[in-house]
Amino acid sequence: MKFTGTDAYVATEDLTVAVNAAVTLERPLLVKGEPGTGKTELARQVAAALDLPMIEWHVKSTTRAQQGLYEYDAVSRLRDSQLGDERVHDVANYIRKGKLWQAFEADEKVVLLIDEVDKADIEFPNDLLQELDRMEFHVYETGETIRARHRPIVIITSNNEKELPDAFLRRCFFHYIRFPDMETMKRIVEVHHPGIRESLLTTALTQFYDLREAPGLKKKPSTSEVLDWLKLLLAEDMDAADLRGDGASALPKLHGALLKNEQDVHLFERLAFMARARR
């Protein structure tokens, strides 16, 4: 069971090594990187490449670890008891299975994505230590222990918004997805926009990387944003000459796909004004 990338996902050699190492060690793969670098999509492509079902758990700021195991709906049970419903005699009727439970009881190995783990409270990763390590948990309301029939491939993503606990990190295989260089980005673009003109691609990516390296930029555009930008350029039938323009503006064409706040737009407007003033 080896991951080598897919036709729809360009995986660098160090990324495929990390995925396969985590699978071999049977440890969660913790993937960090800038937003938009393909962390979530990696899990989907691993599932597709290995022909495995996938279960996605998207973490929010209000998510608790217990929700990944199960939730006991005491309110519904109380209501049903007041209505004389026979279901109240079996507490299992009020247990809602979480994503980990679904992964543990699956009839075959699955890929379990725990997406953006750093969005939750700092205790969230610690609360999952034992379950991810032992691949089992206890349901106190029913007295049963749920054990994984097949150890899932667990992929955990983080945008590095907060530090994760050391005890959690020790149990993971870690990989940081570096931002793609120009050549890797060209391969990624070719997957999404096959046959794009080389002159347009080279000019567009040169502008894109120059923009990313601009000092003072608050939010650097990501891979997903450059793909959206190129889609717009193709839809408008622009060529390399259109992108170069007359040099009067430091802002690239259709810059709204790349710059996502007014501070960065104003930054490039000031750069253009300063450039004109020096002439």
Side-chain angles (χ1 to χ4, degrees), residues 125-136:
N126 278 335
D127 292 343
L128 289 177
L129 288 179
Q130 179 171 310
E131 288 76 13
L132 291 176
D133 205 23
R134 298 185 181 180
M135 286 289 153
E136 66 178 39

Side-chain angles (χ1 to χ4, degrees), residues 212-223:
R212 270 184 59 88
E213 296 306 315
L217 197 64
K218 185 176 180 180
K219 183 196 176 302
K220 294 183 178 182
S222 66
T223 304

